[in-house]
């Protein structure tokens, strides 16, 4: 069976949306007779009626509604793909994780905007996978991942580090753990994963159960701030909370996160002047940040209160 003409399907969809053959025909620069002929050809092909004609126009039959629901998204996608994309070097749209935006980029962004007042930047917070082929308005993204995304170019910004952190309130209530006693404290996370690596690397016995399991890094850090337990804090998220006094790093020991932070973009963005400026600035900021992260944040323990002993394991040199 030959494929139905695309023009006929477009005419059918226009009539379905407008509920009026005359207006649909005008929108396609056709006569009503020509549009009716196209629709009749589809009906004969399917052996089903697609419209019921009335005094005020037309309405879809059940078969017509089913056909419209199946083809409308594809027709919309074709229309979007054929729309010309205007690339402006003075306008830049970036997608990034909400947690990275609030904890790392936002505190630094004013410096970039002050240096590049001519560049209009739009940030879109998104935790899902972005399809650059479909979302052509997005020029690039910042993601925490393995560094390889099919069909995309990835520029390494910086690595991340993880180390146990807790709220001052929890430490006031329970005291300070040592490397050997850490497993006796309430831990946030799940069996296995990076906690298993921590205990294998630095000693101690992992707990039989964790106090809470959350599937999002930002929520894990929020739970730690509220005193729910100790989080294996990722420094990109934890450092602002540490500097604000809401979390405390427990040890010098730490290790690299499984993934790193990257600027990613499709081949169509290679020649984007605004992205080139933003990329160079990101790399400079990342270099400064990595230099600061070479020295783990330290916390000076308060003197033990009467009746309470605050202990801490021997510090090891950070890897």
């Amino acid at each position: 069976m030959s494929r139905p003409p695309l023009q006929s399907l477009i005419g059918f969809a226009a009539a379905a949306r407008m509920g009026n053959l005359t207006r649909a025909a005008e929108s396609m620069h056709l006569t009503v007779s020509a549009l009716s002929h196209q629709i009749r050809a589809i009906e004969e092909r399917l052996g089903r009626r697609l419209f019921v004609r009335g005094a005020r126009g037309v309405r879809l039959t059940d078969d017509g509604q089913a056909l419209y629901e199946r083809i409308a998204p594809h027709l919309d996608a074709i229309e979007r793909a054929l729309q010309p994309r205007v690339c402006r070097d003075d306008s830049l749209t970036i997608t990034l994780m909400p947690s990275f935006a609030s904890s790392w980029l936002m505190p630094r962004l004013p410096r970039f905007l002050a240096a590049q007042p001519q560049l209009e930047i739009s940030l879109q917070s998104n935790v899902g996978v972005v399809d650059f082929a479909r979302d052509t308005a997005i020029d690039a993204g910042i993601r925490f991942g393995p560094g390889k995304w099919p069909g995309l170019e990835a520029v390494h910004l910086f690595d991340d580090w993880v180390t146990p952190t807790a709220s001052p309130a929890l430490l006031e209530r329970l005291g300070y753990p040592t490397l050997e006693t850490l497993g006796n404290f309430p831990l946030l996370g799940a069996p296995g994963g990076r906690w298993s690596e921590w205990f294998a690397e630095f000693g101690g016995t992992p707990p039989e159960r964790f106090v809470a399991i959350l599937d999002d890094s930002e929520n894990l850090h929020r739970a730690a701030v509220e005193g729910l337990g100790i989080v294996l804090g990722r420094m990109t998220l934890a450092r602002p909370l540490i500097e604000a006094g809401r979390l405390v790093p427990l040890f010098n020991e730490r290790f690299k996160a499984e993934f790193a932070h990257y600027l990613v973009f499709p081949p169509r963005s290679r020649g984007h002047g605004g992205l080139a400026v933003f990329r160079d600035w990101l790399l400079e900021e990342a270099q400064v940040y990595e230099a600061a992260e070479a020295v783990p944040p330290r916390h000076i323990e308060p003197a033990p209160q009467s009746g309470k002993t605050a202990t801490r394991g021997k510090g090891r040199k950070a890897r």
Side-chain angles (χ1 to χ4, degrees):
M1 182 181 291
S2 62
R3 295 181 180 179
L6 179 60
Q7 189 73 4
S8 298
L9 293 175
I10 294 175
F12 160 74
R17 286 195 302 268
M18 298 180 183
N20 186 287
L21 290 180
T22 300
R23 290 202 299 271
E26 290 175 351
S27 71
M28 299 185 65
H29 305 288
L30 296 174
T31 64
V32 174
S33 176
L35 179 57
S36 297
H37 179 75
Q38 291 181 357
I39 294 173
R40 189 161 50 251
I42 299 175
E43 289 177 329
E44 291 175 355
R45 182 188 183 91
L46 296 176
R48 301 168 186 170
R49 291 188 65 186
L50 301 178
F51 288 101
V52 175
R53 290 165 174 79
R56 297 186 178 182
V58 295
R59 62 179 177 84
L60 290 168
T61 64
D62 290 343
D63 290 324
Q65 183 66 37
L67 176 63
Y68 178 71
E69 291 177 356
R70 291 183 66 182
I71 70 170
H74 301 287
L75 294 176
D76 291 341
I78 292 173
E79 183 178 358
R80 287 195 303 270
L82 294 177
Q83 289 177 347
R85 181 177 182 270
V86 179
C87 181
R88 293 172 45 198
D89 284 345
D90 62 349
S91 178
L92 182 63
T93 300
I94 302 291
T95 173
L96 71 170
M97 306 288 283
S99 57
F100 184 86
S102 60
S103 65
W104 195 90
L105 185 61
M106 287 303 180
R108 295 166 172 80
L109 193 59
R111 294 197 292 269
F112 175 75
L113 296 178
Q116 304 293 333
Q118 80 288 350
L119 185 59
E120 177 185 291
I121 188 167
S122 173
L123 301 179
Q124 297 187 4
S125 297
N126 193 317
V127 298
V129 177
V130 175
D131 185 352
F132 285 100
R134 182 175 61 86
D135 296 324
T136 57
I138 300 178
D139 300 300
I142 300 175
R143 283 295 185 267
F144 182 68
K148 293 183 179 179
W149 290 269
L152 300 179
E153 297 187 26
V155 178
H156 178 267
L157 297 177
F158 57 87
D159 296 322
D160 218 333
W161 296 86
V162 291
T163 191
T165 60
S167 72
L170 183 142
L171 297 174
E172 176 69 20
R173 187 172 75 250
L174 301 179
Y176 283 78
T178 66
L179 290 172
E180 291 74 22
T181 64
L182 179 61
N184 299 328
F185 282 69
L187 303 184
L188 297 166
R194 305 316 301 275
W195 272 120
S196 292
E197 294 181 40
W198 173 270
F199 286 107
E201 177 74 17
F202 301 115
T205 303
E208 295 183 0
R209 64 180 296 273
F210 286 73
V211 66
I213 299 174
L214 296 92
D215 62 356
D216 178 79
S217 294
E218 190 169 9
N219 287 332
L220 277 170
H221 288 74
R222 287 176 181 172
V225 167
E226 297 301 324
L228 187 59
I230 297 173
V231 66
L232 193 56
R234 183 150 55 87
M235 281 297 104
T236 302
L237 301 178
R239 183 176 279 276
L241 299 171
I242 292 170
E243 293 174 348
R246 303 178 70 187
L247 285 179
V248 177
L250 301 180
F251 310 106
N252 259 354
E253 286 73 10
R254 61 179 185 166
F255 54 75
K256 281 186 179 180
E258 182 180 7
F259 298 132
H261 299 274
Y262 293 86
L263 174 69
V264 297
F265 54 89
R268 61 174 165 80
S269 294
R270 288 174 184 164
H272 194 300
L275 178 59
V277 173
F278 185 65
R279 178 198 59 212
D280 292 344
W281 174 79
L282 276 178
L283 289 172
E284 291 176 0
E285 291 290 334
Q287 186 176 14
V288 172
Y289 177 76
E290 280 199 307
E293 281 300 300
V295 180
R298 294 292 296 163
H299 175 77
I300 301 176
E301 263 180 50
Q305 299 179 5
S306 58
K308 183 182 291 185
T309 301
T311 60
R312 193 169 194 164
K314 295 179 180 180
R316 299 186 187 180
K317 186 177 181 181
R319 299 193 299 122

